[in-house]
Amino acid sequence: MTADAYAQRVDALRAALRRQSADGAPLGLAKRTSNLFRDREEGAKRRLDLSAFHHVNAVDAAAGTVEVEGLATYEALVDATLPHGVMPAVVPQLKTITVGGAVAGVGIEATSFRHGLAHDTMLSLDVLLPGGDIVTCTPDNAHRDLFHGFPNSYGTLGYALRLVMRTLPVRPYVKVAHVRSGSPREFFDALAMACDSDADFVDGVVFDGHTMVLSTGRFVADAEWVGDYTYEHIYYRSLLERPVDYLSTYGYLWRWDTDWFWCSKNLGAQHPLLRRLYGRSRLNSRTYTRLMRFNSRWGLTRRLARWRGLHPESVIQDVDIPIAHAAGFLEFLLREIGVLPIWICPIRVPASSAAFTLYPVRPGELYVNFGFWDVVRSRTPREPGYFNRLIEQEVLRCGGIKSLYSDVYLSRDGFDKAYGMEAYEALKDKYDPGRAMLGLYEKCVGRR
């Protein structure tokens, strides 16, 4: 039944594509929500509605797989898999992230130290190509080049319609231990040891240069209590208050969504009175994203900063740094950028995995993801993107790589070297010879 329903959706899509006029404008996705965090200078596009492809088609707990469509959110995927005693092997932090978006971009969470990024858990992929054809890609079939080239392509090689992803068995609760460190080197040494332990989850938070908390989680069958971070209590604060905590597995997977990590503070949602006015149902990434888009469109906080004589720059970045350079990179962030807190999440792509073309982390090597999301305000006027450019230069110097969901200022040559554009252009020639979709550089750096 699910196979027939998927086939019917594909047939309807093909019919819609035949009706659509190819007027020379680039193809774009008609989507009401987005987890891209950069202002875009949108030109004319032919908008394609794929909202019908939002189903979880099948969960095979015994095989450790789930078949899901590209526009399904991870919230829907978790809701479908947990009753079967399994979860997606990597669950990105926000409920609104779609499965196709996590694979076309980069999806990460606290299981990534063992299972890699979201696209490393992918077993097969149906892609709608820019010309209207649909191909099934696996690691070893005729379209294996697209399978390995699709991650980090951000809708410039096609759109994910259906995916088969790996799952992991779960237990009802997660016991989390929070351990403080007082220096970057102590913290990252402890993180590396945790990644070689039997932990199921590893991540952490840098609160300042002398306060860092490493969190390791393990599935358990029973809990002494169950922490609730969906309303009155704020998860990231609990890291400094509770050396040990218990969450339901569902609560653990979405522990960051209620307060958008800690970014809800910028919207007043951490003030007790305003928190009650928001109410439990609006304390989530959906609400904050809508408010952020509204502010970006009207420039309210930018105007306020300028009225105060400040020059604001949005610094919203996730970067992956080899563990050997992690302490030095953190010292750079604290010294030059000053955005706090910083989320820390280790990544290690399994050594047996093949490399993905556009996100060339080395299999078997431990990397550290640094996530930092705020505004740097200075009384000194600087060139646009000054702080983001500093970060990009330091990431490249450390042999790291940054995600492309936010502002990118790299030169064409720097971008080409960092993201393997020679191989990308070969994929573009093969799968989008008519250039019906924007190129990756034009989309990410050109903000189109």
Side-chain angles (χ1 to χ4, degrees):
M1 292 293 291
T2 56
D4 289 344
Y6 173 71
Q8 290 169 10
R9 288 189 282 276
V10 168
D11 289 342
L13 173 61
R14 287 190 169 119
L17 286 169
R18 286 194 295 269
R19 292 192 300 269
Q20 192 175 62
S21 169
D23 59 4
L27 193 62
L29 193 60
K31 194 166 175 271
R32 288 190 297 272
T33 62
S34 173
N35 282 290
L36 294 181
F37 290 86
R38 57 173 173 264
D39 293 331
R40 285 177 281 179
E41 299 171 4
E42 292 276 16
K45 285 185 180 178
R46 292 179 290 131
R47 293 293 179 182
L48 185 61
D49 183 2
L50 298 180
S51 59
F53 292 87
H54 67 270
H55 301 80
V56 181
N57 292 333
V59 180
D60 188 337
T65 63
V66 58
E67 180 188 305
V68 59
E69 294 173 1
L71 271 291
T73 64
Y74 269 92
E75 180 179 29
L77 184 55
V78 166
D79 287 349
T81 54
L82 283 187
H84 294 268
V86 297
M87 59 173 267
V90 175
V91 179
Q93 313 86 353
L94 305 181
K95 294 179 178 181
T96 55
I97 294 173
T98 62
V99 180
V103 169
V106 177
I108 179 177
E109 238 294 348
T111 58
S112 290
F113 75 100
R114 182 168 293 140
H115 303 286
L117 299 160
H119 58 255
D120 292 300
T121 73
M122 180 174 64
L123 299 174
S124 74
L125 170 70
D126 287 3
V127 179
L128 171 66
L129 298 178
D133 292 333
I134 297 170
V135 297
T136 298
C137 312
T138 70
D140 53 8
N141 75 356
H143 299 293
R144 57 186 174 274
D145 55 348
L146 184 57
F147 179 91
H148 292 109
F150 190 84
N152 214 38
S153 64
Y154 282 89
T156 64
L157 294 174
Y159 297 123
L161 296 183
R162 178 174 62 173
L163 308 95
V164 178
M165 310 288 283
R166 287 193 293 110
T167 63
L168 303 174
V170 303
R171 302 181 85 183
Y173 304 101
V174 178
K175 180 181 180 180
V176 191
H178 305 302
V179 178
R180 290 199 197 197
S181 294
S183 73
R185 297 203 178 275
E186 177 189 352
F187 175 72
F188 288 113
D189 284 348
L191 180 141
M193 290 179 62
C195 291
D196 290 331
S197 74
D198 64 350
D200 295 301
F201 305 94
V202 179
D203 70 346
V205 174
V206 174
F207 290 91
D208 59 43
H210 302 286
T211 310
M212 301 143 212
V213 178
L214 177 67
S215 301
T216 55
R218 289 172 172 83
F219 284 120
V220 292
D222 300 296
E224 296 181 25
W225 65 84
V226 180
D228 181 359
Y229 299 101
T230 60
Y231 189 27
E232 293 182 336
H233 303 291
I234 297 171
Y235 178 72
Y236 80 95
R237 292 179 179 172
S238 75
L239 275 60
L240 297 172
E241 299 164 353
R242 288 186 164 182
V244 175
D245 205 352
Y246 292 87
L247 287 78
S248 69
T249 295
Y250 183 88
Y252 180 85
L253 293 178
W254 301 127
R255 67 202 183 282
W256 295 119
D257 190 85
T258 302
D259 283 285
W260 224 13
F261 285 84
W262 34 79
C263 298
S264 66
K265 69 179 186 290
N266 297 320
L267 300 164
Q270 294 183 22
H271 187 283
L273 176 59
L274 289 177
R275 200 169 182 85
R276 293 189 185 95
L277 291 175
Y278 272 92
R280 188 189 298 266
S281 65
R282 286 186 290 274
L283 292 170
N284 54 54
S285 57
R286 282 188 178 85
T287 298
Y288 309 137
T289 300
R290 285 196 295 267
L291 292 172
M292 184 202 71
R293 304 286 180 218
F294 177 84
N295 177 62
S296 178
R297 186 162 59 249
W298 296 101
L300 302 179
T301 54
R302 285 196 300 270
R303 294 177 188 179
L304 179 61
R306 287 168 184 162
W307 178 76
R308 296 170 59 198
L310 300 174
H311 300 273
E313 180 180 337
S314 177
V315 177
I316 300 175
Q317 300 288 356
D318 276 80
V319 303
D320 299 339
I321 304 296
I323 186 71
H325 298 286
F329 184 79
L330 176 56
E331 290 165 355
F332 156 80
L333 285 181
L334 296 172
R335 181 180 67 250
E336 301 292 341
I337 310 300
V339 170
L340 290 167
I342 301 168
W343 185 54
I344 301 295
C345 188
I347 305 163
R348 182 158 48 200
V349 175
S352 59
S353 298
F356 284 87
T357 308
L358 304 181
Y359 211 78
V361 297
R362 293 175 289 277
E365 182 171 340
L366 187 62
Y367 289 75
V368 178
N369 175 270
F370 293 76
F372 40 99
W373 319 287
D374 213 326
V375 175
V376 177
R377 296 173 179 87
S378 170
R379 293 200 175 275
T380 304
R382 303 181 189 274
E383 65 172 327
Y386 172 82
F387 292 102
N388 285 285
R389 293 172 197 269
L390 283 181
I391 293 164
E392 290 176 347
Q393 293 164 11
E394 187 68 11
V395 169
L396 294 178
R397 192 189 71 79
C398 291
I401 189 167
K402 63 169 273 182
S403 297
L404 298 174
Y405 71 90
S406 61
D407 293 324
V408 185
Y409 292 91
L410 289 169
S411 68
R412 186 66 196 240
D413 285 347
F415 190 89
D416 288 355
K417 290 175 184 176
Y419 297 98
M421 286 298 99
E422 184 176 348
Y424 171 79
E425 289 301 331
L427 288 167
K428 198 75 169 164
D429 289 342
K430 181 175 178 180
Y431 292 104
D432 186 18
R435 297 307 194 260
M437 289 179 164
L438 292 170
L440 189 61
Y441 181 85
E442 289 72 27
K443 186 166 187 176
C444 296
V445 184
R447 300 185 182 189
R448 297 170 63 192

